[in-house]
Amino acid sequence: YDGPAEGFVEGSKRMLHAGKDYAGAHRFGSHRVKVNGQRAILESDVQYFLRDRVQGFLTDACMQMLFYDQMEKRDGVWRIYKWTAIYNVDPVVPISEPKGFYDDVNFDEVGNGIAMMRSRGAKGGRPPNPWIVVAGSDKERAVRAEGERWFRGG
């Protein structure tokens, strides 16, 4: 998601009540923080577990990502200034593997960290959003460079 917090909350509510064969959960692991006055960078290891249907087949997925959060202390309270998810890997496993399920998945492309997301989106008519940041990509390097400039007060 790329936009204001209110839009994220509303979109999440719609997904929750969409009546789909869907279940998901986020698990947060290690957190790393560095502070510079009223600014901080918070990195959190995240796994997102998802059960969903792809082309009518029930699947399980476990996306691994890093949340790269630029934090600001405003009126004595720490708040998120900018939140970015950096995707690493996204395996999708059909509950019962249908013939040809992986046929169109290109694991050799740049952006391998979202190979299954690209495939799932293409099959459902939903290409990946252009704001998705993949680990090791130029976008990740740009996010980190921008975050560091901001962190130093720039």
Side-chain angles (χ1 to χ4, degrees):
Y1 175 76
D2 188 23
E6 296 79 15
F8 179 82
V9 170
E10 289 307 312
S12 296
K13 286 180 185 177
R14 279 192 305 277
M15 284 175 47
L16 182 64
H17 301 292
K20 292 174 39 177
D21 192 3
Y22 165 90
H26 288 82
R27 299 284 187 260
F28 293 82
S30 301
H31 304 279
R32 295 159 302 284
V33 66
K34 58 184 182 179
V35 179
N36 181 14
Q38 303 294 100
R39 294 181 174 187
I41 299 287
L42 171 65
E43 294 187 19
S44 304
D45 297 323
V46 180
Q47 288 184 317
Y48 177 53
F49 299 93
L50 173 67
R51 175 159 285 185
D52 199 1
R53 290 203 175 267
V54 176
Q55 284 188 301
F57 298 102
L58 195 59
T59 62
D60 282 336
C62 176
M63 291 169 241
Q64 297 174 23
M65 63 192 89
L66 174 97
F67 284 177
Y68 183 86
D69 302 328
Q70 294 168 241
M71 309 292 291
E72 240 179 5
K73 194 171 188 181
R74 299 180 217 146
D75 300 320
V77 178
W78 285 100
R79 304 217 183 258
I80 296 173
Y81 169 77
K82 184 174 183 179
W83 170 82
T84 304
I86 299 172
Y87 290 82
N88 190 16
V89 296
D90 70 336
V92 174
V93 179
I95 301 303
S96 60
E97 187 174 334
K99 182 175 170 56
F101 184 82
Y102 294 107
D103 287 355
D104 70 332
V105 181
N106 184 349
F107 291 105
D108 296 325
E109 257 186 56
V110 172
N112 227 353
I114 59 167
M116 292 305 299
M117 188 186 301
R118 284 193 321 264
S119 174
R120 191 175 91 222
K123 290 174 182 176
R126 300 177 320 268
N129 288 300
W131 49 260
I132 290 177
V133 179
V134 178
S137 68
D138 289 341
K139 273 189 181 177
E140 179 188 12
R141 286 184 281 284
V143 163
R144 289 179 177 279
E146 177 189 332
E148 286 298 319
R149 279 190 301 276
W150 171 85
F151 178 71
R152 290 189 301 274

mmCIF file with all atom_site columns, all heavy atoms in Angstrom, residues 119-144:
data_model
loop_
_atom_site.group_PDB
_atom_site.id
_atom_site.type_symbol
_atom_site.label_atom_id
_atom_site.label_alt_id
_atom_site.label_comp_id
_atom_site.label_asym_id
_atom_site.label_entity_id
_atom_site.label_seq_id
_atom_site.pdbx_PDB_ins_code
_atom_site.Cartn_x
_atom_site.Cartn_y
_atom_site.Cartn_z
_atom_site.occupancy
_atom_site.B_iso_or_equiv
_atom_site.pdbx_formal_charge
_atom_site.auth_seq_id
_atom_site.auth_comp_id
_atom_site.auth_asym_id
_atom_site.auth_atom_id
_atom_site.pdbx_PDB_model_num
ATOM 1   N N   . SER A 1 119 ? 3.163  -13.650 -10.419 1.00 0.00 ? 119 SER A N   1
ATOM 2   C CA  . SER A 1 119 ? 2.379  -14.706 -11.064 1.00 0.00 ? 119 SER A CA  1
ATOM 3   C C   . SER A 1 119 ? 0.934  -14.686 -10.575 1.00 0.00 ? 119 SER A C   1
ATOM 4   O O   . SER A 1 119 ? -0.005 -14.749 -11.368 1.00 0.00 ? 119 SER A O   1
ATOM 5   C CB  . SER A 1 119 ? 3.012  -16.072 -10.772 1.00 0.00 ? 119 SER A CB  1
ATOM 6   O OG  . SER A 1 119 ? 2.197  -17.104 -11.263 1.00 0.00 ? 119 SER A OG  1
ATOM 7   N N   . ARG A 1 120 ? 0.756  -14.603 -9.255  1.00 0.00 ? 120 ARG A N   1
ATOM 8   C CA  . ARG A 1 120 ? -0.592 -14.591 -8.681  1.00 0.00 ? 120 ARG A CA  1
ATOM 9   C C   . ARG A 1 120 ? -1.379 -13.388 -9.194  1.00 0.00 ? 120 ARG A C   1
ATOM 10  O O   . ARG A 1 120 ? -2.551 -13.495 -9.555  1.00 0.00 ? 120 ARG A O   1
ATOM 11  C CB  . ARG A 1 120 ? -0.505 -14.567 -7.158  1.00 0.00 ? 120 ARG A CB  1
ATOM 12  C CG  . ARG A 1 120 ? -1.835 -14.812 -6.485  1.00 0.00 ? 120 ARG A CG  1
ATOM 13  C CD  . ARG A 1 120 ? -1.691 -14.895 -4.981  1.00 0.00 ? 120 ARG A CD  1
ATOM 14  N NE  . ARG A 1 120 ? -1.867 -13.568 -4.427  1.00 0.00 ? 120 ARG A NE  1
ATOM 15  C CZ  . ARG A 1 120 ? -1.146 -13.043 -3.459  1.00 0.00 ? 120 ARG A CZ  1
ATOM 16  N NH1 . ARG A 1 120 ? -0.162 -13.713 -2.924  1.00 0.00 ? 120 ARG A NH1 1
ATOM 17  N NH2 . ARG A 1 120 ? -1.395 -11.840 -3.016  1.00 0.00 ? 120 ARG A NH2 1
ATOM 18  N N   . GLY A 1 121 ? -0.726 -12.246 -9.248  1.00 0.00 ? 121 GLY A N   1
ATOM 19  C CA  . GLY A 1 121 ? -1.393 -11.043 -9.734  1.00 0.00 ? 121 GLY A CA  1
ATOM 20  C C   . GLY A 1 121 ? -1.768 -11.149 -11.193 1.00 0.00 ? 121 GLY A C   1
ATOM 21  O O   . GLY A 1 121 ? -2.867 -10.763 -11.595 1.00 0.00 ? 121 GLY A O   1
ATOM 22  N N   . ALA A 1 122 ? -0.861 -11.694 -12.005 1.00 0.00 ? 122 ALA A N   1
ATOM 23  C CA  . ALA A 1 122 ? -1.139 -11.840 -13.440 1.00 0.00 ? 122 ALA A CA  1
ATOM 24  C C   . ALA A 1 122 ? -2.330 -12.774 -13.665 1.00 0.00 ? 122 ALA A C   1
ATOM 25  O O   . ALA A 1 122 ? -3.188 -12.512 -14.506 1.00 0.00 ? 122 ALA A O   1
ATOM 26  C CB  . ALA A 1 122 ? 0.093  -12.362 -14.169 1.00 0.00 ? 122 ALA A CB  1
ATOM 27  N N   . LYS A 1 123 ? -2.381 -13.857 -12.909 1.00 0.00 ? 123 LYS A N   1
ATOM 28  C CA  . LYS A 1 123 ? -3.485 -14.813 -13.061 1.00 0.00 ? 123 LYS A CA  1
ATOM 29  C C   . LYS A 1 123 ? -4.809 -14.198 -12.627 1.00 0.00 ? 123 LYS A C   1
ATOM 30  O O   . LYS A 1 123 ? -5.854 -14.564 -13.143 1.00 0.00 ? 123 LYS A O   1
ATOM 31  C CB  . LYS A 1 123 ? -3.198 -16.073 -12.241 1.00 0.00 ? 123 LYS A CB  1
ATOM 32  C CG  . LYS A 1 123 ? -2.082 -16.901 -12.820 1.00 0.00 ? 123 LYS A CG  1
ATOM 33  C CD  . LYS A 1 123 ? -1.721 -18.060 -11.915 1.00 0.00 ? 123 LYS A CD  1
ATOM 34  C CE  . LYS A 1 123 ? -0.564 -18.845 -12.511 1.00 0.00 ? 123 LYS A CE  1
ATOM 35  N NZ  . LYS A 1 123 ? -0.116 -19.924 -11.643 1.00 0.00 ? 123 LYS A NZ  1
ATOM 36  N N   . GLY A 1 124 ? -4.748 -13.271 -11.672 1.00 0.00 ? 124 GLY A N   1
ATOM 37  C CA  . GLY A 1 124 ? -5.964 -12.641 -11.178 1.00 0.00 ? 124 GLY A CA  1
ATOM 38  C C   . GLY A 1 124 ? -6.224 -11.277 -11.779 1.00 0.00 ? 124 GLY A C   1
ATOM 39  O O   . GLY A 1 124 ? -7.119 -10.561 -11.346 1.00 0.00 ? 124 GLY A O   1
ATOM 40  N N   . GLY A 1 125 ? -5.426 -10.884 -12.777 1.00 0.00 ? 125 GLY A N   1
ATOM 41  C CA  . GLY A 1 125 ? -5.610 -9.580  -13.411 1.00 0.00 ? 125 GLY A CA  1
ATOM 42  C C   . GLY A 1 125 ? -5.143 -8.418  -12.550 1.00 0.00 ? 125 GLY A C   1
ATOM 43  O O   . GLY A 1 125 ? -5.595 -7.296  -12.719 1.00 0.00 ? 125 GLY A O   1
ATOM 44  N N   . ARG A 1 126 ? -4.234 -8.672  -11.607 1.00 0.00 ? 126 ARG A N   1
ATOM 45  C CA  . ARG A 1 126 ? -3.733 -7.637  -10.711 1.00 0.00 ? 126 ARG A CA  1
ATOM 46  C C   . ARG A 1 126 ? -2.207 -7.618  -10.773 1.00 0.00 ? 126 ARG A C   1
ATOM 47  O O   . ARG A 1 126 ? -1.547 -8.305  -9.995  1.00 0.00 ? 126 ARG A O   1
ATOM 48  C CB  . ARG A 1 126 ? -4.164 -7.923  -9.272  1.00 0.00 ? 126 ARG A CB  1
ATOM 49  C CG  . ARG A 1 126 ? -5.635 -7.982  -9.041  1.00 0.00 ? 126 ARG A CG  1
ATOM 50  C CD  . ARG A 1 126 ? -5.983 -8.335  -7.586  1.00 0.00 ? 126 ARG A CD  1
ATOM 51  N NE  . ARG A 1 126 ? -5.138 -9.356  -6.976  1.00 0.00 ? 126 ARG A NE  1
ATOM 52  C CZ  . ARG A 1 126 ? -5.402 -10.661 -6.969  1.00 0.00 ? 126 ARG A CZ  1
ATOM 53  N NH1 . ARG A 1 126 ? -6.477 -11.118 -7.539  1.00 0.00 ? 126 ARG A NH1 1
ATOM 54  N NH2 . ARG A 1 126 ? -4.580 -11.519 -6.381  1.00 0.00 ? 126 ARG A NH2 1
ATOM 55  N N   . PRO A 1 127 ? -1.611 -6.847  -11.672 1.00 0.00 ? 127 PRO A N   1
ATOM 56  C CA  . PRO A 1 127 ? -0.144 -6.793  -11.713 1.00 0.00 ? 127 PRO A CA  1
ATOM 57  C C   . PRO A 1 127 ? 0.377  -6.163  -10.419 1.00 0.00 ? 127 PRO A C   1
ATOM 58  O O   . PRO A 1 127 ? -0.339 -5.405  -9.771  1.00 0.00 ? 127 PRO A O   1
ATOM 59  C CB  . PRO A 1 127 ? 0.142  -5.902  -12.917 1.00 0.00 ? 127 PRO A CB  1
ATOM 60  C CG  . PRO A 1 127 ? -1.098 -5.111  -13.131 1.00 0.00 ? 127 PRO A CG  1
ATOM 61  C CD  . PRO A 1 127 ? -2.243 -5.953  -12.627 1.00 0.00 ? 127 PRO A CD  1
ATOM 62  N N   . PRO A 1 128 ? 1.622  -6.497  -10.022 1.00 0.00 ? 128 PRO A N   1
ATOM 63  C CA  . PRO A 1 128 ? 2.178  -5.904  -8.796  1.00 0.00 ? 128 PRO A CA  1
ATOM 64  C C   . PRO A 1 128 ? 2.203  -4.387  -8.895  1.00 0.00 ? 128 PRO A C   1
ATOM 65  O O   . PRO A 1 128 ? 2.418  -3.830  -9.969  1.00 0.00 ? 128 PRO A O   1
ATOM 66  C CB  . PRO A 1 128 ? 3.598  -6.462  -8.740  1.00 0.00 ? 128 PRO A CB  1
ATOM 67  C CG  . PRO A 1 128 ? 3.592  -7.656  -9.625  1.00 0.00 ? 128 PRO A CG  1
ATOM 68  C CD  . PRO A 1 128 ? 2.545  -7.407  -10.671 1.00 0.00 ? 128 PRO A CD  1
ATOM 69  N N   . ASN A 1 129 ? 1.991  -3.747  -7.777  1.00 0.00 ? 129 ASN A N   1
ATOM 70  C CA  . ASN A 1 129 ? 2.025  -2.290  -7.741  1.00 0.00 ? 129 ASN A CA  1
ATOM 71  C C   . ASN A 1 129 ? 3.441  -1.782  -7.977  1.00 0.00 ? 129 ASN A C   1
ATOM 72  O O   . ASN A 1 129 ? 4.408  -2.403  -7.528  1.00 0.00 ? 129 ASN A O   1
ATOM 73  C CB  . ASN A 1 129 ? 1.508  -1.796  -6.386  1.00 0.00 ? 129 ASN A CB  1
ATOM 74  C CG  . ASN A 1 129 ? 0.018  -1.980  -6.278  1.00 0.00 ? 129 ASN A CG  1
ATOM 75  O OD1 . ASN A 1 129 ? -0.718 -1.432  -7.069  1.00 0.00 ? 129 ASN A OD1 1
ATOM 76  N ND2 . ASN A 1 129 ? -0.416 -2.761  -5.304  1.00 0.00 ? 129 ASN A ND2 1
ATOM 77  N N   . PRO A 1 130 ? 3.567  -0.660  -8.668  1.00 0.00 ? 130 PRO A N   1
ATOM 78  C CA  . PRO A 1 130 ? 4.904  -0.137  -8.984  1.00 0.00 ? 130 PRO A CA  1
ATOM 79  C C   . PRO A 1 130 ? 5.670  0.329   -7.750  1.00 0.00 ? 130 PRO A C   1
ATOM 80  O O   . PRO A 1 130 ? 6.886  0.480   -7.806  1.00 0.00 ? 130 PRO A O   1
ATOM 81  C CB  . PRO A 1 130 ? 4.608  1.033   -9.927  1.00 0.00 ? 130 PRO A CB  1
ATOM 82  C CG  . PRO A 1 130 ? 3.188  1.396   -9.693  1.00 0.00 ? 130 PRO A CG  1
ATOM 83  C CD  . PRO A 1 130 ? 2.498  0.144   -9.237  1.00 0.00 ? 130 PRO A CD  1
ATOM 84  N N   . TRP A 1 131 ? 5.012  0.544   -6.631  1.00 0.00 ? 131 TRP A N   1
ATOM 85  C CA  . TRP A 1 131 ? 5.704  1.020   -5.437  1.00 0.00 ? 131 TRP A CA  1
ATOM 86  C C   . TRP A 1 131 ? 6.365  -0.115  -4.641  1.00 0.00 ? 131 TRP A C   1
ATOM 87  O O   . TRP A 1 131 ? 7.061  0.141   -3.667  1.00 0.00 ? 131 TRP A O   1
ATOM 88  C CB  . TRP A 1 131 ? 4.760  1.813   -4.532  1.00 0.00 ? 131 TRP A CB  1
ATOM 89  C CG  . TRP A 1 131 ? 3.457  1.158   -4.248  1.00 0.00 ? 131 TRP A CG  1
ATOM 90  C CD1 . TRP A 1 131 ? 2.269  1.424   -4.853  1.00 0.00 ? 131 TRP A CD1 1
ATOM 91  C CD2 . TRP A 1 131 ? 3.185  0.102   -3.322  1.00 0.00 ? 131 TRP A CD2 1
ATOM 92  N NE1 . TRP A 1 131 ? 1.278  0.608   -4.363  1.00 0.00 ? 131 TRP A NE1 1
ATOM 93  C CE2 . TRP A 1 131 ? 1.820  -0.219  -3.412  1.00 0.00 ? 131 TRP A CE2 1
ATOM 94  C CE3 . TRP A 1 131 ? 3.969  -0.613  -2.420  1.00 0.00 ? 131 TRP A CE3 1
ATOM 95  C CZ2 . TRP A 1 131 ? 1.223  -1.203  -2.647  1.00 0.00 ? 131 TRP A CZ2 1
ATOM 96  C CZ3 . TRP A 1 131 ? 3.366  -1.600  -1.656  1.00 0.00 ? 131 TRP A CZ3 1
ATOM 97  C CH2 . TRP A 1 131 ? 2.015  -1.884  -1.765  1.00 0.00 ? 131 TRP A CH2 1
ATOM 98  N N   . ILE A 1 132 ? 6.159  -1.384  -5.034  1.00 0.00 ? 132 ILE A N   1
ATOM 99  C CA  . ILE A 1 132 ? 6.752  -2.496  -4.306  1.00 0.00 ? 132 ILE A CA  1
ATOM 100 C C   . ILE A 1 132 ? 8.278  -2.414  -4.386  1.00 0.00 ? 132 ILE A C   1
ATOM 101 O O   . ILE A 1 132 ? 8.845  -2.211  -5.445  1.00 0.00 ? 132 ILE A O   1
ATOM 102 C CB  . ILE A 1 132 ? 6.250  -3.843  -4.849  1.00 0.00 ? 132 ILE A CB  1
ATOM 103 C CG1 . ILE A 1 132 ? 4.780  -4.017  -4.463  1.00 0.00 ? 132 ILE A CG1 1
ATOM 104 C CG2 . ILE A 1 132 ? 7.096  -5.004  -4.329  1.00 0.00 ? 132 ILE A CG2 1
ATOM 105 C CD1 . ILE A 1 132 ? 4.145  -5.276  -5.005  1.00 0.00 ? 132 ILE A CD1 1
ATOM 106 N N   . VAL A 1 133 ? 8.922  -2.564  -3.238  1.00 0.00 ? 133 VAL A N   1
ATOM 107 C CA  . VAL A 1 133 ? 10.374 -2.512  -3.142  1.00 0.00 ? 133 VAL A CA  1
ATOM 108 C C   . VAL A 1 133 ? 10.886 -3.930  -2.888  1.00 0.00 ? 133 VAL A C   1
ATOM 109 O O   . VAL A 1 133 ? 10.471 -4.584  -1.939  1.00 0.00 ? 133 VAL A O   1
ATOM 110 C CB  . VAL A 1 133 ? 10.819 -1.573  -2.000  1.00 0.00 ? 133 VAL A CB  1
ATOM 111 C CG1 . VAL A 1 133 ? 12.333 -1.543  -1.904  1.00 0.00 ? 133 VAL A CG1 1
ATOM 112 C CG2 . VAL A 1 133 ? 10.255 -0.171  -2.212  1.00 0.00 ? 133 VAL A CG2 1
ATOM 113 N N   . VAL A 1 134 ? 11.775 -4.402  -3.747  1.00 0.00 ? 134 VAL A N   1
ATOM 114 C CA  . VAL A 1 134 ? 12.334 -5.747  -3.637  1.00 0.00 ? 134 VAL A CA  1
ATOM 115 C C   . VAL A 1 134 ? 13.752 -5.658  -3.081  1.00 0.00 ? 134 VAL A C   1
ATOM 116 O O   . VAL A 1 134 ? 14.530 -4.788  -3.482  1.00 0.00 ? 134 VAL A O   1
ATOM 117 C CB  . VAL A 1 134 ? 12.335 -6.455  -5.011  1.00 0.00 ? 134 VAL A CB  1
ATOM 118 C CG1 . VAL A 1 134 ? 12.950 -7.837  -4.911  1.00 0.00 ? 134 VAL A CG1 1
ATOM 119 C CG2 . VAL A 1 134 ? 10.917 -6.540  -5.562  1.00 0.00 ? 134 VAL A CG2 1
ATOM 120 N N   . ALA A 1 135 ? 14.078 -6.576  -2.159  1.00 0.00 ? 135 ALA A N   1
ATOM 121 C CA  . ALA A 1 135 ? 15.409 -6.601  -1.544  1.00 0.00 ? 135 ALA A CA  1
ATOM 122 C C   . ALA A 1 135 ? 16.497 -6.690  -2.611  1.00 0.00 ? 135 ALA A C   1
ATOM 123 O O   . ALA A 1 135 ? 16.370 -7.418  -3.587  1.00 0.00 ? 135 ALA A O   1
ATOM 124 C CB  . ALA A 1 135 ? 15.517 -7.788  -0.591  1.00 0.00 ? 135 ALA A CB  1
ATOM 125 N N   . GLY A 1 136 ? 17.552 -5.903  -2.424  1.00 0.00 ? 136 GLY A N   1
ATOM 126 C CA  . GLY A 1 136 ? 18.698 -5.924  -3.326  1.00 0.00 ? 136 GLY A CA  1
ATOM 127 C C   . GLY A 1 136 ? 18.511 -5.119  -4.599  1.00 0.00 ? 136 GLY A C   1
ATOM 128 O O   . GLY A 1 136 ? 19.401 -5.078  -5.443  1.00 0.00 ? 136 GLY A O   1
ATOM 129 N N   . SER A 1 137 ? 17.376 -4.444  -4.736  1.00 0.00 ? 137 SER A N   1
ATOM 130 C CA  . SER A 1 137 ? 17.080 -3.699  -5.965  1.00 0.00 ? 137 SER A CA  1
ATOM 131 C C   . SER A 1 137 ? 17.551 -2.247  -5.865  1.00 0.00 ? 137 SER A C   1
ATOM 132 O O   . SER A 1 137 ? 17.893 -1.749  -4.793  1.00 0.00 ? 137 SER A O   1
ATOM 133 C CB  . SER A 1 137 ? 15.574 -3.714  -6.235  1.00 0.00 ? 137 SER A CB  1
ATOM 134 O OG  . SER A 1 137 ? 14.888 -2.947  -5.255  1.00 0.00 ? 137 SER A OG  1
ATOM 135 N N   . ASP A 1 138 ? 17.530 -1.568  -7.016  1.00 0.00 ? 138 ASP A N   1
ATOM 136 C CA  . ASP A 1 138 ? 17.829 -0.135  -7.020  1.00 0.00 ? 138 ASP A CA  1
ATOM 137 C C   . ASP A 1 138 ? 16.829 0.624   -6.164  1.00 0.00 ? 138 ASP A C   1
ATOM 138 O O   . ASP A 1 138 ? 17.189 1.607   -5.505  1.00 0.00 ? 138 ASP A O   1
ATOM 139 C CB  . ASP A 1 138 ? 17.812 0.411   -8.456  1.00 0.00 ? 138 ASP A CB  1
ATOM 140 C CG  . ASP A 1 138 ? 19.002 -0.066  -9.275  1.00 0.00 ? 138 ASP A CG  1
ATOM 141 O OD1 . ASP A 1 138 ? 20.015 -0.504  -8.687  1.00 0.00 ? 138 ASP A OD1 1
ATOM 142 O OD2 . ASP A 1 138 ? 18.916 -0.014  -10.520 1.00 0.00 ? 138 ASP A OD2 1
ATOM 143 N N   . LYS A 1 139 ? 15.563 0.171   -6.160  1.00 0.00 ? 139 LYS A N   1
ATOM 144 C CA  . LYS A 1 139 ? 14.549 0.841   -5.325  1.00 0.00 ? 139 LYS A CA  1
ATOM 145 C C   . LYS A 1 139 ? 14.913 0.742   -3.847  1.00 0.00 ? 139 LYS A C   1
ATOM 146 O O   . LYS A 1 139 ? 14.749 1.703   -3.106  1.00 0.00 ? 139 LYS A O   1
ATOM 147 C CB  . LYS A 1 139 ? 13.163 0.223   -5.541  1.00 0.00 ? 139 LYS A CB  1
ATOM 148 C CG  . LYS A 1 139 ? 12.383 0.801   -6.677  1.00 0.00 ? 139 LYS A CG  1
ATOM 149 C CD  . LYS A 1 139 ? 10.967 0.262   -6.645  1.00 0.00 ? 139 LYS A CD  1
ATOM 150 C CE  . LYS A 1 139 ? 10.162 0.810   -7.792  1.00 0.00 ? 139 LYS A CE  1
ATOM 151 N NZ  . LYS A 1 139 ? 8.815  0.251   -7.810  1.00 0.00 ? 139 LYS A NZ  1
ATOM 152 N N   . GLU A 1 140 ? 15.396 -0.434  -3.416  1.00 0.00 ? 140 GLU A N   1
ATOM 153 C CA  . GLU A 1 140 ? 15.791 -0.563  -2.004  1.00 0.00 ? 140 GLU A CA  1
ATOM 154 C C   . GLU A 1 140 ? 16.933 0.390   -1.693  1.00 0.00 ? 140 GLU A C   1
ATOM 155 O O   . GLU A 1 140 ? 16.921 1.078   -0.673  1.00 0.00 ? 140 GLU A O   1
ATOM 156 C CB  . GLU A 1 140 ? 16.205 -1.986  -1.653  1.00 0.00 ? 140 GLU A CB  1
ATOM 157 C CG  . GLU A 1 140 ? 16.637 -2.086  -0.186  1.00 0.00 ? 140 GLU A CG  1
ATOM 158 C CD  . GLU A 1 140 ? 17.252 -3.399  0.229   1.00 0.00 ? 140 GLU A CD  1
ATOM 159 O OE1 . GLU A 1 140 ? 17.587 -4.215  -0.644  1.00 0.00 ? 140 GLU A OE1 1
ATOM 160 O OE2 . GLU A 1 140 ? 17.418 -3.588  1.449   1.00 0.00 ? 140 GLU A OE2 1
ATOM 161 N N   . ARG A 1 141 ? 17.921 0.439   -2.561  1.00 0.00 ? 141 ARG A N   1
ATOM 162 C CA  . ARG A 1 141 ? 19.051 1.342   -2.334  1.00 0.00 ? 141 ARG A CA  1
ATOM 163 C C   . ARG A 1 141 ? 18.570 2.797   -2.270  1.00 0.00 ? 141 ARG A C   1
ATOM 164 O O   . ARG A 1 141 ? 19.028 3.573   -1.430  1.00 0.00 ? 141 ARG A O   1
ATOM 165 C CB  . ARG A 1 141 ? 20.112 1.149   -3.408  1.00 0.00 ? 141 ARG A CB  1
ATOM 166 C CG  . ARG A 1 141 ? 20.901 -0.164  -3.223  1.00 0.00 ? 141 ARG A CG  1
ATOM 167 C CD  . ARG A 1 141 ? 22.029 -0.329  -4.225  1.00 0.00 ? 141 ARG A CD  1
ATOM 168 N NE  . ARG A 1 141 ? 21.567 -0.766  -5.534  1.00 0.00 ? 141 ARG A NE  1
ATOM 169 C CZ  . ARG A 1 141 ? 21.196 -2.012  -5.821  1.00 0.00 ? 141 ARG A CZ  1
ATOM 170 N NH1 . ARG A 1 141 ? 21.235 -2.941  -4.906  1.00 0.00 ? 141 ARG A NH1 1
ATOM 171 N NH2 . ARG A 1 141 ? 20.788 -2.326  -7.035  1.00 0.00 ? 141 ARG A NH2 1
ATOM 172 N N   . ALA A 1 142 ? 17.618 3.163   -3.129  1.00 0.00 ? 142 ALA A N   1
ATOM 173 C CA  . ALA A 1 142 ? 17.080 4.532   -3.122  1.00 0.00 ? 142 ALA A CA  1
ATOM 174 C C   . ALA A 1 142 ? 16.310 4.813   -1.830  1.00 0.00 ? 142 ALA A C   1
ATOM 175 O O   . ALA A 1 142 ? 16.437 5.895   -1.243  1.00 0.00 ? 142 ALA A O   1
ATOM 176 C CB  . ALA A 1 142 ? 16.185 4.753   -4.337  1.00 0.00 ? 142 ALA A CB  1
ATOM 177 N N   . VAL A 1 143 ? 15.498 3.850   -1.379  1.00 0.00 ? 143 VAL A N   1
ATOM 178 C CA  . VAL A 1 143 ? 14.742 4.015   -0.129  1.00 0.00 ? 143 VAL A CA  1
ATOM 179 C C   . VAL A 1 143 ? 15.703 4.238   1.034   1.00 0.00 ? 143 VAL A C   1
ATOM 180 O O   . VAL A 1 143 ? 15.519 5.127   1.862   1.00 0.00 ? 143 VAL A O   1
ATOM 181 C CB  . VAL A 1 143 ? 13.836 2.786   0.140   1.00 0.00 ? 143 VAL A CB  1
ATOM 182 C CG1 . VAL A 1 143 ? 13.372 2.728   1.589   1.00 0.00 ? 143 VAL A CG1 1
ATOM 183 C CG2 . VAL A 1 143 ? 12.641 2.791   -0.795  1.00 0.00 ? 143 VAL A CG2 1
ATOM 184 N N   . ARG A 1 144 ? 16.742 3.404   1.093   1.00 0.00 ? 144 ARG A N   1
ATOM 185 C CA  . ARG A 1 144 ? 17.706 3.526   2.193   1.00 0.00 ? 144 ARG A CA  1
ATOM 186 C C   . ARG A 1 144 ? 18.491 4.841   2.119   1.00 0.00 ? 144 ARG A C   1
ATOM 187 O O   . ARG A 1 144 ? 18.731 5.487   3.143   1.00 0.00 ? 144 ARG A O   1
ATOM 188 C CB  . ARG A 1 144 ? 18.645 2.329   2.202   1.00 0.00 ? 144 ARG A CB  1
ATOM 189 C CG  . ARG A 1 144 ? 17.943 1.055   2.642   1.00 0.00 ? 144 ARG A CG  1
ATOM 190 C CD  . ARG A 1 144 ? 18.888 -0.144  2.622   1.00 0.00 ? 144 ARG A CD  1
ATOM 191 N NE  . ARG A 1 144 ? 18.243 -1.331  3.100   1.00 0.00 ? 144 ARG A NE  1
ATOM 192 C CZ  . ARG A 1 144 ? 18.064 -1.640  4.382   1.00 0.00 ? 144 ARG A CZ  1
ATOM 193 N NH1 . ARG A 1 144 ? 18.491 -0.820  5.319   1.00 0.00 ? 144 ARG A NH1 1
ATOM 194 N NH2 . ARG A 1 144 ? 17.477 -2.766  4.729   1.00 0.00 ? 144 ARG A NH2 1
#
